[in-house]
Amino acid sequence: MNPLRALPLFEDLNEETFSKLTEIARQRRFQKGEILFFEGDAPNDLVVLTKGVLKLFKTSSSDKEVILHHFTPVSLVAEVAVLHRIPYPATAVFEADSEVLLINYDAFESMFLSNPELARILLLSLSKKIRMLESVIERGLVMDASERVINFIRKSPELLKTMRHYEIANILNLTPETFSRTLKKLQHEGKVINSEAGWEALP
């Protein structure tokens, strides 16, 4: 499935319109450590993370890194800055080899936002996304360590091969010790397995 269909913003578009959307999207690959954008850069594209991990952070006056968010697939990245035509409020760096889809915003605005019917569909989709984010926030507040690890394995199993445990623990807001202990516990309970094909969360 085209990863754009995984986004609530685009899931209700008909095939003809969705096809037009894919025509203005281009794929780019990035290596771990590469910068997607710096704080203060002017945005030109809607960014969709389809593979990997992207860290959003700011640097304090004392040069301390303040992590704002980790994006995992499939996610729209900093779309508010693009939609409002304001500079990016933070810097984004890839924490794993990653892939993104870049949607030219000028073409997107001309093609979609000038059409009242499409604008209505997108507005409904944005409302749906807000409700989804509220649900995600609620789950994040009540999820225990085991639930967070299982959810991560289901969403991004390949990252357990490429990222260090302390990096994944940081994404999950766990200590490295808690992450390792939880992973071993889930394996012992038969809730996750690590086979030749990689990590898998069992039903």
Side-chain angles (χ1 to χ4, degrees):
M1 183 180 73
N2 189 307
L4 292 178
R5 279 295 192 195
L7 294 172
L9 185 62
F10 303 130
E11 65 181 0
D12 293 325
L13 295 180
N14 60 45
E15 287 303 321
E16 180 182 357
T17 304
F18 187 76
S19 178
K20 291 179 180 179
L21 174 67
T22 60
E23 290 176 1
I24 60 172
R26 65 191 190 279
Q27 184 183 59
R28 281 197 61 186
R29 293 182 173 86
F30 292 86
Q31 294 182 338
K32 179 179 179 179
E34 286 194 83
I35 298 291
L36 177 62
F37 54 76
F38 287 97
E39 180 178 353
D41 283 352
N44 297 310
D45 302 295
L46 284 169
V47 180
V48 180
L49 180 69
T50 60
K51 181 180 179 181
V53 178
L54 182 68
K55 178 176 71 177
L56 194 67
F57 71 96
K58 292 177 73 72
T59 303
S60 70
S61 57
S62 58
D63 290 329
K64 181 180 179 181
E65 184 180 283
V66 179
I67 299 174
L68 303 179
H69 189 62
H70 281 94
F71 293 94
T72 55
V74 173
S75 302
L76 266 173
V77 176
E79 69 270 29
V80 173
V82 184
L83 294 172
H84 287 274
R85 300 285 192 166
I86 60 175
Y88 285 118
T91 299
V93 60
F94 291 100
E95 294 212 314
D97 292 347
S98 305
E99 295 179 6
V100 300
L101 287 173
L102 301 175
I103 302 171
N104 181 274
Y105 186 70
D106 287 335
F108 177 81
E109 184 177 48
S110 174
M111 185 181 300
F112 290 90
L113 301 188
S114 62
N115 184 311
E117 178 61 18
L118 291 177
R120 184 186 69 84
I121 292 174
L122 292 174
L123 181 61
L124 290 174
S125 294
L126 281 172
S127 298
K128 186 183 297 184
K129 181 180 181 182
I130 290 172
R131 292 195 298 272
M132 179 196 70
L133 288 174
E134 289 173 343
S135 176
V136 169
I137 291 171
E138 183 178 355
R139 289 199 304 271
L141 292 175
V142 300
M143 272 187 179
D144 62 22
S146 294
E147 291 170 326
R148 293 184 205 178
V149 173
I150 289 175
N151 186 59
F152 184 85
I153 291 174
R154 285 178 176 154
K155 288 178 61 177
S156 306
E158 74 283 354
L159 295 180
L160 280 165
K161 295 181 179 179
T162 59
M163 297 186 71
R164 296 181 179 178
H165 280 192
Y166 78 86
E167 294 174 317
I168 299 173
N170 191 36
I171 293 173
L172 299 178
N173 198 27
L174 300 171
T175 65
E177 295 78 13
T178 298
F179 174 75
S180 295
R181 186 167 58 248
T182 302
L183 193 59
K184 291 178 182 177
K185 172 176 170 286
L186 292 171
Q187 283 184 280
H188 179 72
E189 294 175 348
K191 294 180 179 179
V192 301
I193 59 173
N194 184 14
S195 64
E196 292 183 2
W199 286 93
E200 180 182 356
L202 301 178

